[in-house]
Amino acid sequence: MDRTRYMLIILIVSAGLLFITFYPGAMSIDSYEQLRQARSGQFGDWHPPFMAWVWRAFDAILQGSILMLLAQLGLYLFSLWAIARVALPGPDSVRLGFVIASLWLAPVSGIIGVVWKDIWTSCLLLLTGACCLAITTATGRAWHLRCLGAAALAFTAALLFRPNAVFAGVPLLAYLLWMTRPAPRTVRWGVSVLFVGAAASALLLLVSSGLNRVLTVHHQHPLQSILIFDIAGVSTLSGRADFLNDASESIPDVMRQQRSVELSALQAAYY
């Protein structure tokens, strides 16, 4: 048996073990909430609704989280392989070894089977990185445009799952644009691609935010809720309950139609 086939078997066994470990897909309270929205079709905006929309399609085929688990495992493996193909010289056995080693990194193997938007975002950013690296081996304007288009699609998908992925996209897109120009590359060109990368990231963020807004059925005001939690925490630590009363002027319905909030009630909820 040659080395490549041996490494492929190890990879299949490794992926299978992780699938069995997390079967049918580990879930947290966030996962359950998004599954609830997927089944009801009532997409809120506490989490980007795109994930619930995707899950709704999978759930119509096979109920539960198993297809989401398979999809995110497959996306992660594909992204790693795409990076290995362009970044690692040598035979395929070396590339397969890289994928296996990455798969069993403790920070990865411990959460890769949890159905979270964070996992999907990370995998899609890896795929964006693979597209950026691919441009270093691409020749010709047509291939450069394909790499740019693939990177833009992968990055937009990452933004659909988590808008704060925009901060990871700026250096990736800047590098992609940097490599489209043959050497020698100037400092001026480097500054230019940074600005263009930032502008492109902002544009794709607007596009993804617009798509999520279209999918949103009802607003849950996540920022308002976070502010309320913070104010309640400050009240608990300071021993004063009047902060919520003061905040009621700027945060709608912060008091939930109550005249006041007892400090003991807040302290019971915080520890």
Side-chain angles (χ1 to χ4, degrees), residues 18 103 138 158 199 202:
L18 283 175
L103 191 62

Side-chain angles (χ1 to χ4, degrees), residues 122-194:
S122 300
C123 293
L124 288 163
L125 286 175
L126 279 176
L127 188 58
T128 306
C131 296
C132 294
L133 290 173
I135 205 167
T136 61
T137 61
T139 56
R141 185 174 181 83
W143 277 107
H144 284 176
L145 290 175
R146 289 179 185 178
C147 291
L148 281 168
L153 284 174
F155 181 52
T156 303
L159 291 170
L160 284 166
F161 281 95
R162 277 199 76 101
N164 57 359
V166 67
F167 298 106
V170 175
L172 286 173
L173 296 183
Y175 173 79
L176 185 66
L177 294 168
W178 170 265
M179 295 304 298
T180 58
R181 183 169 181 168
R185 303 178 183 94
T186 63
V187 174
R188 183 177 180 180
W189 175 246
V191 174
S192 298
V193 298
L194 276 176

Side-chain angles (χ1 to χ4, degrees), residues 181-216:
R181 183 169 181 168
R185 303 178 183 94
T186 63
V187 174
R188 183 177 180 180
W189 175 246
V191 174
S192 298
V193 298
L194 276 176
F195 278 105
V196 174
S201 298
L203 177 62
L204 294 177
L205 177 61
L206 288 174
V207 171
S208 61
S209 298
L211 289 172
N212 271 323
R213 184 167 295 183
V214 169
L215 291 173
T216 300

Side-chain angles (χ1 to χ4, degrees), residues 13-184:
V13 171
S14 297
L17 285 173
L18 283 175
F19 175 76
I20 292 170
T21 300
F22 288 101
Y23 178 87
M27 295 174 61
S28 68
I29 188 170
D30 289 348
S31 312
Y32 281 109
E33 171 60 19
Q34 292 194 277
L35 177 57
R36 184 192 67 79
Q37 292 185 17
R39 289 178 172 173
S40 67
Q42 297 298 308
F43 303 134
D45 57 358
W46 186 279
H47 306 284
F50 182 74
M51 180 171 172
W53 182 76
V54 171
W55 203 337
R56 183 176 178 84
F58 283 149
D59 197 61
I61 299 171
L62 181 62
Q63 286 195 342
S65 56
I66 186 170
L67 290 183
M68 291 290 283
L69 173 63
L70 283 170
Q72 65 187 44
L73 278 174
L75 179 60
Y76 180 63
L77 290 172
F78 177 77
S79 301
L80 287 176
W81 177 250
I83 289 175
R85 282 290 302 270
V86 296
L88 296 178
D92 284 343
S93 58
V94 174
R95 301 184 180 102
L96 288 170
F98 165 78
V99 175
I100 294 168
S102 300
L103 191 62
W104 284 110
L105 283 173
V108 173
S109 60
I111 62 171
I112 190 62
V114 184
V115 185
W116 278 339
K117 58 183 180 292
D118 313 75
I119 305 298
W120 283 82
T121 301
S122 300
C123 293
L124 288 163
L125 286 175
L126 279 176
L127 188 58
T128 306
C131 296
C132 294
L133 290 173
I135 205 167
T136 61
T137 61
T139 56
R141 185 174 181 83
W143 277 107
H144 284 176
L145 290 175
R146 289 179 185 178
C147 291
L148 281 168
L153 284 174
F155 181 52
T156 303
L159 291 170
L160 284 166
F161 281 95
R162 277 199 76 101
N164 57 359
V166 67
F167 298 106
V170 175
L172 286 173
L173 296 183
Y175 173 79
L176 185 66
L177 294 168
W178 170 265
M179 295 304 298
T180 58
R181 183 169 181 168

